[in-house]
mmCIF file of all heavy atoms in Angstrom:
data_model
loop_
_atom_site.group_PDB
_atom_site.id
_atom_site.type_symbol
_atom_site.label_atom_id
_atom_site.label_comp_id
_atom_site.label_asym_id
_atom_site.label_seq_id
_atom_site.Cartn_x
_atom_site.Cartn_y
_atom_site.Cartn_z
ATOM 1 N N ARG A 259 39.138 -34.000 -2.041
ATOM 2 C CA ARG A 259 39.014 -33.116 -0.882
ATOM 3 C C ARG A 259 38.621 -31.711 -1.296
ATOM 4 O O ARG A 259 37.664 -31.146 -0.782
ATOM 5 C CB ARG A 259 40.336 -33.058 -0.113
ATOM 6 C CG ARG A 259 40.595 -34.259 0.736
ATOM 7 C CD ARG A 259 40.068 -34.085 2.168
ATOM 8 N NE ARG A 259 39.998 -35.378 2.820
ATOM 9 C CZ ARG A 259 41.070 -36.039 3.251
ATOM 10 N NH1 ARG A 259 42.269 -35.513 3.098
ATOM 11 N NH2 ARG A 259 40.950 -37.213 3.824
ATOM 12 N N SER A 260 39.392 -31.154 -2.234
ATOM 13 C CA SER A 260 39.138 -29.764 -2.590
ATOM 14 C C SER A 260 37.747 -29.631 -3.203
ATOM 15 O O SER A 260 37.044 -28.652 -2.982
ATOM 16 C CB SER A 260 40.197 -29.257 -3.558
ATOM 17 O OG SER A 260 40.193 -30.027 -4.721
ATOM 18 N N GLU A 261 37.330 -30.659 -3.922
ATOM 19 C CA GLU A 261 35.991 -30.634 -4.503
ATOM 20 C C GLU A 261 34.936 -30.538 -3.404
ATOM 21 O O GLU A 261 34.029 -29.716 -3.445
ATOM 22 C CB GLU A 261 35.783 -31.904 -5.334
ATOM 23 C CG GLU A 261 34.475 -31.892 -6.096
ATOM 24 C CD GLU A 261 34.416 -33.026 -7.110
ATOM 25 O OE1 GLU A 261 35.485 -33.556 -7.469
ATOM 26 O OE2 GLU A 261 33.315 -33.358 -7.532
ATOM 27 N N GLU A 262 35.110 -31.401 -2.378
ATOM 28 C CA GLU A 262 34.136 -31.407 -1.287
ATOM 29 C C GLU A 262 34.094 -30.063 -0.555
ATOM 30 O O GLU A 262 33.029 -29.531 -0.279
ATOM 31 C CB GLU A 262 34.469 -32.520 -0.289
ATOM 32 C CG GLU A 262 33.923 -33.866 -0.716
ATOM 33 C CD GLU A 262 34.620 -35.006 0.016
ATOM 34 O OE1 GLU A 262 35.280 -34.747 1.055
ATOM 35 O OE2 GLU A 262 34.515 -36.150 -0.456
ATOM 36 N N THR A 263 35.283 -29.528 -0.264
ATOM 37 C CA THR A 263 35.307 -28.263 0.490
ATOM 38 C C THR A 263 34.635 -27.161 -0.300
ATOM 39 O O THR A 263 33.803 -26.427 0.235
ATOM 40 C CB THR A 263 36.755 -27.801 0.785
ATOM 41 O OG1 THR A 263 37.646 -28.825 0.401
ATOM 42 C CG2 THR A 263 36.935 -27.446 2.212
ATOM 43 N N VAL A 264 34.995 -27.043 -1.573
ATOM 44 C CA VAL A 264 34.419 -25.959 -2.370
ATOM 45 C C VAL A 264 32.909 -26.101 -2.428
ATOM 46 O O VAL A 264 32.165 -25.144 -2.234
ATOM 47 C CB VAL A 264 35.028 -25.955 -3.784
ATOM 48 C CG1 VAL A 264 34.248 -25.013 -4.677
ATOM 49 C CG2 VAL A 264 36.482 -25.553 -3.728
ATOM 50 N N LEU A 265 32.438 -27.323 -2.641
ATOM 51 C CA LEU A 265 30.990 -27.531 -2.750
ATOM 52 C C LEU A 265 30.278 -27.178 -1.461
ATOM 53 O O LEU A 265 29.247 -26.500 -1.478
ATOM 54 C CB LEU A 265 30.694 -28.982 -3.122
ATOM 55 C CG LEU A 265 30.869 -29.303 -4.602
ATOM 56 C CD1 LEU A 265 30.448 -30.724 -4.872
ATOM 57 C CD2 LEU A 265 30.054 -28.343 -5.451
ATOM 58 N N SER A 266 30.831 -27.615 -0.323
ATOM 59 C CA SER A 266 30.107 -27.354 0.918
ATOM 60 C C SER A 266 30.144 -25.862 1.237
ATOM 61 O O SER A 266 29.162 -25.298 1.710
ATOM 62 C CB SER A 266 30.663 -28.192 2.071
ATOM 63 O OG SER A 266 31.876 -27.658 2.504
ATOM 64 N N LYS A 267 31.268 -25.207 0.912
ATOM 65 C CA LYS A 267 31.324 -23.764 1.155
ATOM 66 C C LYS A 267 30.295 -23.045 0.308
ATOM 67 O O LYS A 267 29.595 -22.144 0.769
ATOM 68 C CB LYS A 267 32.713 -23.232 0.832
ATOM 69 C CG LYS A 267 33.667 -23.373 1.996
ATOM 70 C CD LYS A 267 35.023 -22.803 1.662
ATOM 71 C CE LYS A 267 36.009 -23.084 2.782
ATOM 72 N NZ LYS A 267 37.384 -22.911 2.348
ATOM 73 N N LEU A 268 30.196 -23.467 -0.936
ATOM 74 C CA LEU A 268 29.266 -22.833 -1.867
ATOM 75 C C LEU A 268 27.828 -23.040 -1.398
ATOM 76 O O LEU A 268 27.009 -22.123 -1.403
ATOM 77 C CB LEU A 268 29.457 -23.453 -3.250
ATOM 78 C CG LEU A 268 29.060 -22.554 -4.385
ATOM 79 C CD1 LEU A 268 30.031 -21.401 -4.479
ATOM 80 C CD2 LEU A 268 29.045 -23.334 -5.684
ATOM 81 N N THR A 269 27.526 -24.261 -0.956
ATOM 82 C CA THR A 269 26.183 -24.566 -0.486
ATOM 83 C C THR A 269 25.829 -23.682 0.701
ATOM 84 O O THR A 269 24.745 -23.108 0.765
ATOM 85 C CB THR A 269 26.095 -26.053 -0.101
ATOM 86 O OG1 THR A 269 26.614 -26.813 -1.181
ATOM 87 C CG2 THR A 269 24.672 -26.455 0.172
ATOM 88 N N TRP A 270 26.786 -23.537 1.628
ATOM 89 C CA TRP A 270 26.522 -22.689 2.789
ATOM 90 C C TRP A 270 26.267 -21.256 2.370
ATOM 91 O O TRP A 270 25.384 -20.585 2.899
ATOM 92 C CB TRP A 270 27.690 -22.751 3.780
ATOM 93 C CG TRP A 270 27.521 -23.908 4.697
ATOM 94 C CD1 TRP A 270 28.278 -25.033 4.760
ATOM 95 C CD2 TRP A 270 26.478 -24.080 5.666
ATOM 96 N NE1 TRP A 270 27.788 -25.891 5.702
ATOM 97 C CE2 TRP A 270 26.684 -25.340 6.273
ATOM 98 C CE3 TRP A 270 25.395 -23.300 6.072
ATOM 99 C CZ2 TRP A 270 25.852 -25.834 7.262
ATOM 100 C CZ3 TRP A 270 24.566 -23.789 7.067
ATOM 101 C CH2 TRP A 270 24.797 -25.034 7.646
ATOM 102 N N LEU A 271 27.060 -20.815 1.398
ATOM 103 C CA LEU A 271 26.907 -19.446 0.926
ATOM 104 C C LEU A 271 25.496 -19.228 0.384
ATOM 105 O O LEU A 271 24.828 -18.241 0.704
ATOM 106 C CB LEU A 271 27.946 -19.173 -0.174
ATOM 107 C CG LEU A 271 28.045 -17.728 -0.596
ATOM 108 C CD1 LEU A 271 28.720 -16.915 0.492
ATOM 109 C CD2 LEU A 271 28.821 -17.602 -1.896
ATOM 110 N N VAL A 272 25.040 -20.191 -0.406
ATOM 111 C CA VAL A 272 23.704 -20.064 -0.995
ATOM 112 C C VAL A 272 22.640 -20.055 0.094
ATOM 113 O O VAL A 272 21.704 -19.259 0.072
ATOM 114 C CB VAL A 272 23.460 -21.194 -2.014
ATOM 115 C CG1 VAL A 272 22.021 -21.169 -2.489
ATOM 116 C CG2 VAL A 272 24.409 -21.042 -3.185
ATOM 117 N N TYR A 273 22.797 -20.940 1.093
ATOM 118 C CA TYR A 273 21.814 -20.949 2.182
ATOM 119 C C TYR A 273 21.800 -19.620 2.925
ATOM 120 O O TYR A 273 20.749 -19.102 3.302
ATOM 121 C CB TYR A 273 22.110 -22.090 3.159
ATOM 122 C CG TYR A 273 21.680 -23.433 2.630
ATOM 123 C CD1 TYR A 273 22.447 -24.572 2.815
ATOM 124 C CD2 TYR A 273 20.475 -23.565 1.921
ATOM 125 C CE1 TYR A 273 22.054 -25.802 2.314
ATOM 126 C CE2 TYR A 273 20.079 -24.779 1.419
ATOM 127 C CZ TYR A 273 20.866 -25.892 1.612
ATOM 128 O OH TYR A 273 20.471 -27.097 1.122
ATOM 129 N N LEU A 274 22.990 -19.059 3.103
ATOM 130 C CA LEU A 274 23.104 -17.788 3.814
ATOM 131 C C LEU A 274 22.369 -16.695 3.042
ATOM 132 O O LEU A 274 21.588 -15.927 3.616
ATOM 133 C CB LEU A 274 24.584 -17.431 3.963
ATOM 134 C CG LEU A 274 24.899 -16.489 5.109
ATOM 135 C CD1 LEU A 274 24.736 -17.217 6.431
ATOM 136 C CD2 LEU A 274 26.305 -15.956 4.970
ATOM 137 N N VAL A 275 22.610 -16.663 1.730
ATOM 138 C CA VAL A 275 21.937 -15.664 0.893
ATOM 139 C C VAL A 275 20.428 -15.854 0.983
ATOM 140 O O VAL A 275 19.662 -14.903 1.129
ATOM 141 C CB VAL A 275 22.419 -15.766 -0.570
ATOM 142 C CG1 VAL A 275 21.573 -14.887 -1.467
ATOM 143 C CG2 VAL A 275 23.873 -15.375 -0.671
ATOM 144 N N THR A 276 19.990 -17.108 0.944
ATOM 145 C CA THR A 276 18.558 -17.398 1.035
ATOM 146 C C THR A 276 17.986 -16.857 2.339
ATOM 147 O O THR A 276 16.924 -16.238 2.364
ATOM 148 C CB THR A 276 18.330 -18.917 0.954
ATOM 149 O OG1 THR A 276 19.041 -19.413 -0.165
ATOM 150 C CG2 THR A 276 16.860 -19.237 0.808
ATOM 151 N N LEU A 277 18.725 -17.074 3.423
ATOM 152 C CA LEU A 277 18.270 -16.607 4.730
ATOM 153 C C LEU A 277 18.137 -15.085 4.730
ATOM 154 O O LEU A 277 17.140 -14.532 5.204
ATOM 155 C CB LEU A 277 19.273 -17.048 5.794
ATOM 156 C CG LEU A 277 18.766 -16.977 7.227
ATOM 157 C CD1 LEU A 277 17.758 -18.088 7.455
ATOM 158 C CD2 LEU A 277 19.922 -17.094 8.200
ATOM 159 N N VAL A 278 19.152 -14.416 4.164
ATOM 160 C CA VAL A 278 19.124 -12.957 4.109
ATOM 161 C C VAL A 278 17.911 -12.488 3.304
ATOM 162 O O VAL A 278 17.172 -11.596 3.717
ATOM 163 C CB VAL A 278 20.436 -12.413 3.485
ATOM 164 C CG1 VAL A 278 20.308 -10.933 3.173
ATOM 165 C CG2 VAL A 278 21.603 -12.657 4.420
ATOM 166 N N VAL A 279 17.685 -13.158 2.169
ATOM 167 C CA VAL A 279 16.560 -12.752 1.323
ATOM 168 C C VAL A 279 15.239 -12.963 2.051
ATOM 169 O O VAL A 279 14.347 -12.109 2.010
ATOM 170 C CB VAL A 279 16.588 -13.542 -0.004
ATOM 171 C CG1 VAL A 279 15.293 -13.353 -0.755
ATOM 172 C CG2 VAL A 279 17.760 -13.089 -0.844
ATOM 173 N N LEU A 280 15.125 -14.076 2.763
ATOM 174 C CA LEU A 280 13.884 -14.329 3.505
ATOM 175 C C LEU A 280 13.673 -13.252 4.566
ATOM 176 O O LEU A 280 12.553 -12.779 4.774
ATOM 177 C CB LEU A 280 13.928 -15.708 4.158
ATOM 178 C CG LEU A 280 13.626 -16.878 3.224
ATOM 179 C CD1 LEU A 280 13.621 -18.181 3.994
ATOM 180 C CD2 LEU A 280 12.281 -16.682 2.543
ATOM 181 N N THR A 281 14.756 -12.870 5.228
ATOM 182 C CA THR A 281 14.645 -11.825 6.245
ATOM 183 C C THR A 281 14.197 -10.517 5.607
ATOM 184 O O THR A 281 13.306 -9.832 6.132
ATOM 185 C CB THR A 281 15.999 -11.620 6.953
ATOM 186 O OG1 THR A 281 16.539 -12.901 7.262
ATOM 187 C CG2 THR A 281 15.843 -10.806 8.202
ATOM 188 N N LEU A 282 14.801 -10.194 4.454
ATOM 189 C CA LEU A 282 14.417 -8.957 3.771
ATOM 190 C C LEU A 282 12.944 -9.014 3.356
ATOM 191 O O LEU A 282 12.207 -8.039 3.513
ATOM 192 C CB LEU A 282 15.301 -8.737 2.540
ATOM 193 C CG LEU A 282 16.742 -8.339 2.855
ATOM 194 C CD1 LEU A 282 17.540 -8.163 1.576
ATOM 195 C CD2 LEU A 282 16.769 -7.050 3.666
#
Side-chain angles (χ1 to χ4, degrees):
Chain A
R259 283 268 164 74
S260 60
E261 186 169 340
E262 277 162 17
T263 352
V264 169
L265 280 184
S266 75
K267 275 182 186 163
L268 206 69
T269 310
W270 274 112
L271 189 72
V272 173
Y273 283 140
L274 203 71
V275 171
T276 310
L277 196 72
V278 169
V279 168
L280 281 183
T281 315
L282 288 179

